[in-house]
């Protein structure tokens, strides 16, 4: 399937894998890229040496294009941004902030820059700064989120900018892809469905949490702190939300969250880990290969669009 995004990125299918902190290392990035989508290495809170090493390892596993996601709340964002330019990675996406100050350096290095945004204001600013495309990420997504749903966000961002928009948040099958296209997106970005892929290098308990989750099983912690995070409900989210309701301060809440993503991804600690996942987790029912996920999403979307009139 050809779109302006597949042409821009040199990929076969308009599917980008989200740059999930701790989850998206070179294994999943290479698997998604080898499947014809765009894999991403998620820097999360890692340092520049880890990122450089992951880029090199990913290059050993694939000849296809892949990218790196820079989480802008990372205290080493500056150093990582420089490594991305030095390594001339093909694509950089960013999250949890504005990458404005890094864009000139990345463009200079020939990098395709795709900020992830959760609102129209930042989308417009990013276009002015020279972004090549945007990911419009709805509040259904896992991890750090904005307020607006994917359904409302995509068309508003599409209308506000002249660069291509990639839809994200609540997309895990061909129906979601077709819907995003109808709203004006030229590709999709998915995270949750890849958390249950065969190739992702995370604890089996994390995959099982995603596979077992039902429609109502995500919770948003951190609304009181200004950094809301969607994750699968467990003992930790209950404790966190109880503390928030009781008016707990930032220090106490941060203590609870400290190291919790690592506990989920590496240790599989189902009680005190943070299992970031989107609302679409309820639709993800089995472990599948990245190739199966990407191909079925796009084949199903194409069939839906082709037969749309017939099926009404
Ligand atoms: O960034 C994400 N998703 C993430 S980052 C992450 S690691 C983390 N863990 C705990 C707390 C915080 C982060 C896990 N998931 N998605 C993209 C995204 N960006 N969602 C929302 C935003 C966003 C929000 C506010 C981007 C910019 C912004 O304001 C910046 C500005 O200058 O307007």
């Amino acid at each position: 399937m050809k779109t302006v995004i597949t042409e821009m990125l040199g990929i076969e299918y308009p599917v980008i894998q989200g740059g999930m902190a701790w989850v998206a290392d070179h294994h999943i990035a290479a698997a998604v890229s080898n499947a014809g989508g765009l894999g991403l290495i998620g820097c999360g809170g890692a340092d520049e040496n880890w990122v450089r090493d992951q880029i090199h390892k990913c290059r050993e596993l694939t000849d296809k294009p892949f990218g790196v996601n820079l989480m802008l709340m990372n205290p080493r964002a500056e150093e990582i941004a420089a490594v991305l330019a030095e390594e001339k990675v093909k694509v950089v996406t960013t999250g949890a902030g504005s990458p404005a100050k890094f864009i000139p350096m990345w463009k200079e290095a020939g990098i395709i820059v795709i900020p992830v945004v959760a609102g129209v204001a930042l989308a417009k600013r990013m276009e002015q700064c020279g972004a090549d495309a945007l990911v419009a990420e709805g509040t259904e997504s896992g991890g750090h989120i904005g307020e607006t749903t994917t359904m409302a966000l995509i068309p508003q961002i599409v209308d506000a900018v002249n660069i291509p928009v990639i839809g994200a948040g609540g997309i895990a099958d061909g129906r979601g892809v077709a819907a995003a296209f109808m709203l004006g997106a030229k590709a999709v970005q998915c995270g949750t469905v890849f958390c249950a892929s065969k190739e992702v290098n995370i604890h089996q308990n994390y995959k099982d949490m995603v596979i077992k989750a039902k429609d109502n099983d995500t919770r948003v912690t951190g609304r009181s702190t200004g950094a809301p995070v969607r994750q699968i409900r467990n003992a930790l989210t209950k404790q966190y939300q109880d503390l928030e309701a009781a008016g707990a301060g930032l220090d106490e809440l941060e203590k609870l969250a400290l190291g919790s993503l690592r506990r989920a991804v590496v240790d599989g600690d189902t009680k005190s880990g943070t299992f970031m996942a989107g609302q679409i987790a309820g639709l993800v029912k089995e472990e599948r290969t990245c190739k199966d996920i990407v191909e079925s999403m796009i084949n199903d979307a194409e069939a839906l669009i082709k037969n749309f009139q017939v099926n009404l």
Side-chain angles (χ1 to χ4, degrees):
M1 183 189 270
K2 268 193 188 178
T3 76
V4 292
I5 291 293
T6 60
E7 299 311 283
M8 179 188 288
L9 303 180
I11 57 178
E12 200 176 341
Y13 300 109
V15 178
I16 299 171
Q17 162 244 315
M20 302 166 282
W22 278 98
V23 170
D25 68 4
H26 68 281
H27 294 96
I28 182 80
V32 173
S33 288
N34 283 330
L38 186 81
L40 295 182
I41 294 162
C43 299
D47 70 14
E48 63 277 17
N49 294 320
W50 181 87
V51 174
R52 191 185 295 105
D53 184 53
Q54 289 292 312
I55 293 167
H56 294 168
K57 285 178 169 151
C58 198
R59 285 181 178 147
E60 282 170 23
L61 295 184
T62 186
D63 298 329
K64 302 268 176 71
F66 68 89
V68 177
N69 173 270
L70 174 57
M71 204 280 285
L72 292 158
M73 281 159 64
N74 183 323
R76 306 210 48 94
E78 198 94 35
E79 289 81 1
I80 298 169
V83 165
L84 302 180
E86 200 181 293
E87 290 288 336
K88 298 192 186 303
V89 295
K90 172 131 187 172
V91 184
V92 170
T93 72
T94 61
S98 166
K101 65 177 174 187
F102 302 131
I103 293 180
M105 170 177 67
W106 289 337
K107 295 311 301 172
E108 186 77 19
I111 295 171
I112 299 168
V113 180
I114 310 183
V116 179
V117 301
V120 167
L122 187 60
K124 285 182 167 170
R125 248 159 64 212
M126 292 299 98
E127 181 182 40
Q128 281 163 7
C129 289
D132 297 284
L134 296 167
V135 175
E137 190 184 272
T139 194
E140 297 93 321
S141 306
H144 180 50
I145 50 170
E147 280 294 336
T148 308
T149 61
T150 301
M151 178 79 97
L153 187 67
I154 296 176
Q156 294 190 70
I157 291 186
V158 165
D159 285 354
V161 298
N162 291 304
I163 50 179
V165 174
I166 298 154
I171 302 170
D173 70 5
R175 294 170 295 182
V177 175
F181 286 165
M182 291 296 169
L183 295 172
K186 306 297 186 195
V188 296
Q189 177 184 278
C190 306
T192 303
V193 69
F194 289 115
C195 286
S197 66
K198 296 252 191 234
E199 296 92 338
V200 73
N201 181 29
I202 59 177
H203 198 285
Q204 187 63 39
N205 290 354
Y206 201 125
K207 298 190 193 187
D208 292 343
M209 286 281 275
V210 171
I211 288 165
K212 285 185 191 142
K214 296 190 293 295
D215 57 343
N216 280 330
D217 282 342
T218 68
R219 293 291 180 273
V220 178
T221 61
R223 287 207 193 275
S224 68
T225 71
V229 172
R230 186 180 300 286
Q231 54 200 284
I232 298 172
R233 73 183 171 95
N234 63 357
L236 177 69
T237 58
K238 173 87 174 72
Q239 195 185 353
Y240 196 109
Q241 289 192 315
D242 287 349
L243 277 173
E244 278 192 296
L250 197 59
D251 282 359
E252 201 178 349
L253 294 170
E254 274 182 350
K255 217 183 290 167
L256 200 60
L258 189 71
S260 64
L261 187 55
R262 182 185 198 284
R263 289 199 293 277
V265 174
V266 179
D267 307 332
D269 180 344
T270 54
K271 291 195 171 66
S272 72
T274 292
F275 293 83
M276 295 185 188
Q279 290 182 331
I280 205 66
L283 199 76
V284 178
K285 302 231 167 55
E286 56 183 351
E287 213 176 311
R288 292 191 292 154
T289 63
C290 290
K291 184 169 155 56
D292 186 17
I293 293 168
V294 170
E295 287 183 355
S296 67
M297 270 203 305
I298 295 307
N299 290 338
D300 292 354
E302 276 187 315
L304 278 170
I305 293 163
K306 204 168 119 216
N307 299 320
F308 178 65
Q309 198 76 51
V310 177
N311 288 336
L312 274 178

